Amino acid sequence: MTDMTDRKDPLDARIDAIGPEEIRKALQILSEKIDSRAAAYLNTCVHCGLCADSCHYYLSNGEIESVPAYKLNLLLSAFKRYFTFLGRHAPSLGGAKDLDREKLREWIDSLYGRCSLCGRCTINCSVGIDISRLIRIGRSVLASIDLVPPDLQATVNTALEKGNNMGIPRTEWLETVQWLEEELQQEVRNAAARLPIDQKNARYLYTVNPREPKFFPLSLVATAKIFFAARENWTLASDFYDVTNYGLFSGDDAASGLISSRLLETMKRLQAETLVLGECGHGFNSNRWEAPEWLASKQDIPTISILQVIADYIHQGKIKLDPTRNRKTVTLHDPCNLVRMGGVIEEQRFILKHAVANFVEMYPNREKNFCCGGGGGQLSMSRYASRRLKAGGIKAEQIKKTGARIVVAPCHNCIDQLSELNKEYKLGVEIKTLSEIVAAALVI
Ligand code: SF4
Ligand code: SF4
């Protein structure tokens, strides 16, 4: 017979097992991560409340726990309690709070369960506090004592153990690539068309989100078709080809660094010139901007997004597009990690203006765009799924107002969330990668 303890939520059980040793470790990590800049940020909040209306969680549920400044205050109260004179000697005077099991429960609920690390609050903070970075620091503290929600941790573990976050065996990946090569040859009616694998000294090493070979293989054919049309010297890799890095979301810097370092190893193994990151927002942010910090080293390997590659092909006349082949009205979703955090903003617009007949922006857009709700590891944390879908209602409204029939999202995580929003909010739209739209317009 199963007793109640057996049925307890594993995360709750883990919190209940937290003892003084783990609390000490959590505080040590907090003190290491809160450098002078982070401490200044923490102490700068003037409680103006402006960040509240920037967050899709707060806008969708109106709960105080969803306000970005509230999330910030969780860290601040612990920081004050243990690392300030007043907090140590008279905690009740300055808002200092013990870090205990109940507080940790609150941290998990707010920092993992009410945040997609989208960074929108950061650009709206009246005094410039990097709120999302501090929230990730909070996640790092939780990760250090094994308090990452289990399904998010499982995604990180799979990437570490199997080399890609979906655990696709090497033989399955190679068979898929072979099958997709045949698809490409039929599509372009050319038996010489290739999905090259482990080709040395290529100009571009192209990395993919494992969701592509698993669930959306034709989007990989679309990118291969673009490379074919541009007569590119490119390659895929047989191992360590995964552009994603869920360590960014769990907060575990050691795991994040290890995952990103593998792409760099593949670059060295294949002696490719440039690492090209597939359509994945957080993969771009992780491998382009965060990896040097995780690896504590200068990253001198040229690293760009496939969007930059395609825009360059159009600029240089290497590919020719016929926009009348995409006649339906198209709108664009800006993935937070690619656009607000990553700085790739205009390339996708330039591409769409050449690839579709009718392009309409959603509002707000570019770095002010709302998160779809799928980032921050939310798609991996089933316990917060209903909150995620509710928070995504803001994005659903944005889409509805455009009247577009196709939503382009250059990020597979966003595509998953948008697909769920499509059903939940009966949007009746098609959701596509940018490569699929470009491939449909290619004149070969
Ligand atoms: S990073 Fe995004 S989801 Fe998180 S608190 Fe800020 S606005 Fe909200
Ligand atoms: S906008 Fe900035 S200063 Fe104002 S409450 Fe939010 S975090 Fe604090």
Side-chain angles (χ1 to χ4, degrees):
M1 193 174 149
T2 313
D3 68 16
M4 290 300 286
T5 328
D6 291 333
R7 275 183 264 137
K8 197 167 193 174
D9 176 87
L11 188 55
D12 275 338
R14 176 70 195 137
I15 297 170
D16 289 345
I18 292 289
E21 197 47 48
E22 280 101 339
I23 298 286
R24 264 195 294 278
K25 186 171 178 195
L27 290 171
Q28 187 199 327
I29 299 297
L30 183 66
S31 76
E32 284 171 18
K33 297 274 177 195
I34 301 289
D35 56 14
S36 55
R37 192 167 68 145
Y41 277 147
L42 275 182
N43 285 295
T44 306
C45 177
V46 293
H47 310 293
C48 65
L50 280 181
C51 51
D53 286 343
S54 66
C55 179
H56 51 301
Y57 278 95
Y58 179 72
L59 288 175
S60 65
N61 63 28
E63 293 166 1
I64 186 79
E65 294 85 355
S66 296
V67 174
Y70 182 94
K71 299 165 197 173
L72 201 62
N73 198 50
L74 293 173
L75 271 78
L76 179 60
S77 60
F79 180 77
K80 279 184 176 167
R81 171 68 183 86
Y82 299 97
F83 305 112
T84 66
F85 180 83
L86 193 64
R88 277 198 295 265
H89 298 286
S92 59
L93 291 181
K97 294 269 178 358
D98 285 347
L99 189 64
D100 54 20
R101 287 193 202 119
E102 279 324 297
K103 221 6 134 190
L104 287 170
R105 221 178 283 281
E106 214 184 320
W107 277 44
I108 294 168
D109 183 74
S110 273
L111 306 184
Y112 284 113
R114 295 172 186 271
C115 179
S116 54
L117 297 177
C118 75
R120 195 165 191 273
C121 50
T122 295
I123 64 162
N124 284 292
C125 173
S126 56
V127 295
I129 300 172
D130 193 344
I131 306 169
S132 59
R133 182 158 288 272
L134 288 162
I135 290 174
R136 187 175 181 277
I137 287 177
R139 288 189 179 194
S140 298
V141 171
L142 294 167
S144 73
I145 52 172
D146 198 15
L147 289 181
V148 180
D151 29 15
L152 174 56
Q153 186 60 53
T155 308
V156 176
N157 292 346
T158 302
L160 289 172
E161 287 158 21
K162 312 272 187 193
N164 67 81
N165 79 27
M166 301 221 64
I168 300 172
R170 190 173 192 272
T171 46
E172 188 181 321
W173 164 238
L174 294 178
E175 279 166 19
T176 304
V177 171
Q178 197 176 0
W179 163 62
L180 293 178
E181 186 169 272
E182 288 159 19
E183 290 284 320
L184 175 68
Q185 289 169 355
Q186 282 174 21
E187 170 118 16
V188 298
R189 295 198 193 91
N190 188 330
R194 292 273 174 272
L195 263 76
I197 199 138
D198 284 349
Q199 181 179 297
K200 288 214 166 183
N201 302 309
R203 182 169 177 239
Y204 291 150
L205 168 67
Y206 183 63
T207 56
V208 305
N209 185 321
R211 294 190 72 71
E212 279 190 271
K214 202 76 185 167
F215 302 119
F216 306 100
L218 295 183
S219 72
L220 189 48
V221 175
T223 313
K225 189 176 169 187
I226 298 167
F227 282 137
F228 171 79
R231 301 175 190 277
E232 190 55 80
N233 171 15
W234 71 291
T235 190
L236 295 162
S238 55
D239 296 297
F240 298 146
Y241 52 84
D242 182 353
V243 68
T244 72
N245 191 331
Y246 275 70
L248 176 72
F249 301 145
S250 74
D252 181 342
D253 284 351
S256 309
L258 184 55
I259 293 169
S260 278
S261 72
R262 288 165 166 178
L263 289 188
L264 305 182
E265 277 170 33
T266 306
M267 282 293 287
K268 284 186 189 138
R269 176 170 70 84
L270 296 177
Q271 297 286 299
E273 279 176 35
T274 298
L275 179 61
V276 177
L277 306 167
E279 294 189 46
C280 175
H282 87 274
F284 182 81
N285 188 22
S286 297
N287 295 301
R288 176 67 184 89
W289 299 117
E290 299 287 349
E293 192 174 326
W294 294 329
L295 297 169
S297 66
K298 196 165 159 282
Q299 208 265 73
D300 53 6
I301 291 177
T303 304
I304 58 176
S305 160
I306 183 67
L307 273 55
Q308 293 166 305
V309 171
I310 298 171
D312 192 46
Y313 288 160
I314 298 172
H315 259 305
Q316 294 192 25
K318 286 191 172 178
I319 58 173
K320 221 174 143 217
L321 303 178
D322 176 2
T324 63
R325 294 184 185 180
N326 287 311
R327 286 189 181 278
K328 290 183 187 167
T329 306
V330 171
T331 192
L332 173 69
H333 166 63
D334 286 299
C336 308
N337 272 286
L338 183 73
V339 177
R340 188 159 38 244
M341 328 276 247
V344 179
I345 301 173
E346 297 304 329
E347 286 83 347
Q348 50 274 51
R349 293 174 163 80
F350 172 78
I351 294 166
L352 284 174
K353 278 169 191 161
H354 285 80
V356 307
N358 297 300
F359 169 58
V360 287
E361 289 278 10
M362 61 176 77
Y363 290 94
N365 56 51
R366 295 178 168 84
E367 70 277 11
K368 295 188 180 127
N369 191 35
F370 275 103
C371 178
C372 63
Q378 290 302 331
L379 284 157
S380 296
M381 296 187 279
S382 51
R383 70 189 57 228
Y384 307 125
S386 61
R387 252 186 224 162
R388 164 171 59 80
L389 287 174
K390 197 167 176 194
I394 310 279
K395 176 57 58 184
E397 271 308 304
Q398 274 189 288
I399 292 170
K400 263 188 203 163
K401 283 182 185 158
T402 64
R405 304 320 316 145
I406 296 177
V407 181
V408 168
C411 170
H412 280 274
N413 272 8
C414 297
I415 284 180
D416 282 357
Q417 167 76 346
L418 292 169
S419 301
E420 289 196 37
L421 298 181
N422 202 11
K423 283 190 209 130
E424 181 78 10
Y425 294 95
K426 300 186 176 35
L427 300 176
V429 292
E430 293 172 68
I431 297 153
K432 292 182 183 282
T433 63
L434 196 66
S435 291
E436 286 174 306
I437 288 287
V438 172
L442 270 176
V443 180
I444 296 184

